[in-house]
Amino acid sequence: MPNLNVVILAAGKGTRMHSDLPKVLHEVGAMPILGHVLACAKALNPSKIIVVYGYGGEIVKQRFADDSIIWVKQAEQLGTGHAVQQALPHLDADASTLILLGDVPLVASTACQKLINQASDQLAILSFNKADPSGYGRIVRDGSGQVSAIVEHKDASDQQRQIKEVNTGMMAMPNGRLVQWLATLTNNNAQGEYYLTDIVALAVQQGVPVVAEITEDEWSVTGINAKSDLAQIERIYQQRYAQQLLQQGVTLKDPNRIDVRGDLQCGRDVEIDVNCLFEGQVQLGDGVKIAPNCVIKNAVIAAGTQIAAFTHVDDAQIGVEARIGPFARIRPGTTLADHTHVGNFVELKNAQVGSTSKINHLSYVGDATVGKNVNVGAGTITCNYDGANKFRTVIEDDVFIGSDTQLVAPITLGKGATIAAGSTITKDAPAGQLTFCRAKDQKSISGWKRPVKIKK
Ligand code: UD1
Ligand code: CA
């Protein structure tokens, strides 16, 4: 493969986003727009990726700090040709360059590869046919259908404005030629800018062939200028993600009602009901079922587990054949072993729960180690926080905790202990015994009448 350089133009201000955040840092599928473009560029295995960024775009640089990117500043936005000129010192003499736009997140590596394949000795541009071509550079072809120039909308004649084939802005060419063409650009045009697109006419003048690849996939060349574009592209991104999941065999009750903001890996026969949101890195094992309206973030959920409706999982691991929810909240640091049950209105935080244990109703279990085969009764609360520090609760194997129990940490309930309902336990409970701590006196008042409403 010939040596490839990729130049990404990202210096535009993005005024129409009406945002303090640079345009290319707005997110699609929770990844910055520029992150998508960089991912596409990397997939092409270039020797260099050069990003042309604008004045004040230091936070763009910081956002991608770990990447092996060459950052080039274009302090004043004098046009796309001027932007590429800023990258010239970094281009390899023997390479080809692919130009990408930093605000086109759905850019497709297949189309890029087609351009690259043709760019060793000619200029390859990516075009598409647009029903309303207004604002775009038009692809002008001669009598024999050969590309002769790109004319920007503002410079185009009425006749040229009728042309529906437009420039996507993506192109590839040999660096030797690019250097030479850029040196001769002028800003003698309607916008007073150095147009990269003028290199097409220069190539034609010099007898260098110009080929236009026409793409059918308009979304893959659509740039983001306003929040309405961002919302539209987000939807397309999500629909495409859903289609990929369907192709892999995942059952989606409605591919229009799933959002993946990150990476979702699914085993065989996974079923996902409507309105679920997956964030970060999520893995669902074989046969996992997710009921409607769940939010699942950075989680590993093993085979056969069922997550009932309205469950929230964040930074947790769940073993095989578990039953979670509905309305459960599994917070960071929690691990649930195989065959565990967590029911409605249960909140777990940094709790490690052993296999076959059950926490089925209305409980808070935080900073706790729960053994195997434990039954945590309804309304059990681990009191892990004294207002300043957090303490752990240890519940050993085979413990049974009656309903409405408070466990004031630090505390250990020994193996096989039974805690009577309604207890406030402040000291360790010995293994194998019944421990209880309740108000002593149970009284009954005969003939007692309930209050009645006073008539006005
Ligand atoms: C450009 C093309 C036009 C094409 C359209 C596709 C030129 C002259 N025109 O038009 O043919 O149909 O894209 O959207 O190239 N940028 C910089 N520095 C600059 C100017 C722009 O980095 O000085 C970057 C922008 O951030 C953006 C890209 O280049 O990512 C395109 O800029 P934009 O202003 O959108 O170009 P258009 O004039 O719309
Ligand atoms: Ca544009």
Side-chain angles (χ1 to χ4, degrees):
M1 280 299 280
N3 188 4
L4 173 68
N5 298 156
V6 177
V7 175
I8 301 175
L9 304 186
K13 282 204 191 72
T15 321
R16 279 175 287 161
M17 296 295 275
H18 300 291
S19 168
D20 292 336
L21 192 68
K23 175 162 85 171
V24 293
L25 290 189
H26 288 269
E27 294 180 345
V28 172
M31 191 201 267
I33 296 167
L34 181 57
H36 288 273
V37 182
L38 286 167
C40 172
K42 282 180 187 166
L44 300 164
N45 286 314
S47 56
K48 279 179 185 167
I49 298 177
I50 301 153
V51 179
V52 183
Y53 72 105
Y55 182 78
E58 303 301 326
I59 62 165
V60 178
K61 243 164 103 170
Q62 285 158 17
R63 184 68 175 72
F64 298 98
D66 2 315
D67 286 302
S68 55
I69 299 160
I70 300 169
W71 295 91
V72 174
K73 190 162 174 173
Q74 184 195 22
E76 261 190 298
Q77 277 83 70
L78 302 179
T80 49
H82 180 259
V84 179
Q85 278 168 358
Q86 310 312 303
L88 276 181
H90 299 283
L91 297 185
D92 299 319
D94 59 342
S96 299
T97 287
L98 171 72
I99 311 280
L100 297 179
L101 307 186
D103 61 359
V104 180
L106 301 188
V107 54
S109 57
T110 43
C112 294
Q113 193 60 57
K114 280 186 190 164
L115 294 182
I116 296 161
N117 292 346
Q118 300 176 84
S120 57
D121 52 1
Q122 44 187 8
L123 173 57
I125 63 177
L126 188 66
S127 70
F128 72 115
N129 288 302
K130 195 155 170 52
D132 173 15
S134 184
Y136 285 83
R138 306 299 205 282
I139 309 293
V140 180
R141 291 176 183 266
D142 66 17
S144 61
Q146 294 297 303
V147 176
S148 58
I150 296 177
V151 178
E152 292 304 305
H153 181 89
K154 287 185 178 149
D155 300 278
S157 66
D158 285 347
Q159 203 190 358
Q160 286 168 332
R161 286 184 183 178
Q162 302 302 309
I163 299 171
K164 302 242 188 274
E165 187 184 2
V166 300
N167 175 31
T168 63
M170 297 168 219
M171 47 179 84
M173 67 293 284
N175 286 357
R177 298 284 186 186
L178 179 63
V179 171
Q180 200 198 337
W181 293 330
L182 287 178
T184 59
L185 289 185
T186 66
N187 62 354
N188 215 339
N189 51 51
Q191 300 184 79
E193 286 184 6
Y194 295 91
Y195 291 163
L196 178 61
T197 44
D198 283 352
I199 69 173
V200 174
L202 289 170
V204 171
Q205 272 169 33
Q206 294 174 2
V208 177
V210 180
V211 286
E213 263 307 318
I214 304 175
T215 179
E216 303 288 326
D217 179 7
E218 186 167 338
W219 294 115
S220 74
V221 297
T222 297
I224 288 175
N225 294 311
K227 288 289 173 73
S228 54
D229 302 325
L230 189 65
Q232 217 171 17
I233 290 277
E234 176 73 26
R235 205 78 304 280
I236 300 298
Y237 173 84
Q238 294 300 345
Q239 283 166 358
R240 290 184 174 185
Y241 207 111
Q243 288 305 319
Q244 277 176 30
L245 292 171
L246 291 171
Q247 272 162 32
Q248 291 161 19
V250 178
T251 299
L252 301 178
K253 293 295 178 188
D254 182 353
N256 290 313
R257 282 185 288 168
I258 174 172
D259 284 82
V260 182
R261 299 185 191 151
D263 182 34
L264 174 60
Q265 302 286 337
C266 295
R268 290 178 79 79
D269 297 308
V270 166
E271 282 185 37
I272 301 172
D273 214 316
V274 298
N275 294 333
C276 290
L277 168 60
F278 298 89
E279 297 183 75
Q281 303 291 319
V282 176
Q283 279 180 43
L284 305 180
D286 294 348
V288 165
K289 287 192 169 72
I290 313 282
N293 299 299
C294 292
V295 177
I296 299 182
K297 181 178 182 182
N298 294 325
V300 178
I301 299 177
T305 285
Q306 296 186 20
I307 309 284
F310 295 97
T311 291
H312 197 289
V313 178
D314 182 1
D315 199 3
Q317 293 195 23
I318 302 175
V320 304
E321 301 283 350
R323 298 288 175 269
I324 312 295
F327 299 101
R329 182 170 181 214
I330 316 294
R331 291 174 53 200
T334 296
T335 57
L336 292 161
D338 301 345
H339 303 279
T340 43
H341 288 191
V342 173
N344 41 228
F345 310 109
V346 170
E347 176 181 353
L348 302 182
K349 189 216 67 174
N350 190 20
Q352 292 77 49
V353 180
S355 59
T356 71
S357 288
K358 297 182 175 67
I359 311 172
N360 270 331
H361 325 272
L362 300 156
S363 286
Y364 171 67
V365 176
D367 300 311
T369 306
V370 179
K372 294 177 191 156
N373 194 35
V374 167
N375 193 308
V376 177
T380 297
I381 306 292
T382 56
C383 308
N384 59 332
Y385 184 51
D386 64 5
N389 299 296
K390 299 230 167 104
F391 301 96
R392 284 199 77 79
T393 297
V394 177
I395 302 170
E396 295 182 350
D397 296 350
D398 305 314
V399 165
F400 180 96
I401 302 172
S403 299
D404 189 27
T405 295
Q406 298 89 51
L407 303 170
V408 181
I411 198 163
T412 298
L413 310 183
K415 181 170 163 41
T418 303
I419 309 297
S423 296
T424 300
I425 304 293
T426 55
K427 288 181 281 206
D428 290 353
Q433 298 182 21
L434 170 67
T435 298
F436 62 96
C437 180
R438 297 170 172 162
K440 265 186 249 134
D441 309 323
Q442 177 166 332
K443 289 180 192 159
S444 302
I445 298 170
S446 63
W448 184 76
K449 295 259 185 321
R450 290 184 189 172
V452 291
K453 197 157 187 168
I454 300 163
K455 285 192 180 125
K456 286 182 189 160

